[in-house]
């Protein structure tokens, strides 16, 4: 059976609060999950004391070891859960905004789109001494 990492909504009207849960894919959003991995509060919190920029922040609390376990055994994160796990650093971002041509580029093809294509013209052989093009920073 397919297992998903997704958000279960709690809280009041206009004050959402989410649990990051592991649940079977066909169960309801707020049904009993297999495991609760953490919480996410999307409402901006006041700046922390000592923050030089004074920016509001959103709270993400996550059990990293259990989350890595579930991702490792094949749990499929939802799009929103994927975005949160990418913020924490567990997954690679699914979509990156490409500065080239102002279009959205999938993360797995982002590096390929930035590498210039190799020229196949001429008598060049794919010898062992050749290296592939590097990504310019």
């Amino acid at each position: 059976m397919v297992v998903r990492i997704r958000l279960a909504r709690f809280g009041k009207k206009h004050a959402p609060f989410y649990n990051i849960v592991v649940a079977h894919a066909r169960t309801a959003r707020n049904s009993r999950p297999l495991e609760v991995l953490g919480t996410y509060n999307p409402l901006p919190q006041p700046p922390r004391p000592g923050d030089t920029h004074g920016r509001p922040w959103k709270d993400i609390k996550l059990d990293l070891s259990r989350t890595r376990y579930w991702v490792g055994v094949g749990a499929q994160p939802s799009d929103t859960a994927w975005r949160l796990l990418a913020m924490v650093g567990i997954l690679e971002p699914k979509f990156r905004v490409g500065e080239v041509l102002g279009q959205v580029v999938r993360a797995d093809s982002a590096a390929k789109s930035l590498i210039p294509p190799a020229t196949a013209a001429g008598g060049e052989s794919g010898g062992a001494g050749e290296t592939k093009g590097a990504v310019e920073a």
Side-chain angles (χ1 to χ4, degrees):
M1 185 165 231
V2 179
V3 178
R4 293 194 61 105
I5 299 174
R6 61 185 180 195
L7 302 181
R9 184 182 165 128
F10 292 93
K12 300 183 284 186
K13 280 195 244 179
H14 306 293
F17 184 82
Y18 297 94
N19 278 347
I20 303 169
V21 299
V22 176
H24 291 292
R26 293 181 177 252
T27 59
R29 180 187 70 184
N30 288 338
S31 65
R32 184 176 171 91
L34 297 174
E35 185 174 352
V36 177
L37 298 176
T39 60
Y40 170 57
N41 186 0
L43 299 177
Q45 304 297 317
R48 295 179 177 161
D51 186 10
T52 58
H53 299 291
R55 296 178 299 207
W57 53 281
K58 297 180 181 181
D59 190 28
I60 302 172
K61 294 181 183 171
L62 198 60
D63 186 355
L64 295 177
S65 63
R66 292 303 295 167
T67 305
R68 285 192 184 105
Y69 166 77
W70 281 107
V71 170
V73 297
Q76 297 293 316
S78 66
D79 290 340
T80 309
W82 192 303
R83 184 179 56 83
L84 293 174
L85 296 179
M87 283 183 189
V88 176
I90 293 176
L91 293 175
E92 185 71 23
K94 196 172 200 177
F95 295 103
R96 290 185 182 164
V97 178
E99 297 299 326
V100 181
L101 301 176
Q103 62 185 355
V104 176
V105 181
R106 291 188 64 83
D108 57 351
S109 64
K112 295 176 191 170
S113 67
L114 295 176
I115 297 172
T119 58
E124 299 178 31
S125 63
E130 283 188 35
T131 58
K132 296 192 180 215
V135 176
E136 297 179 14

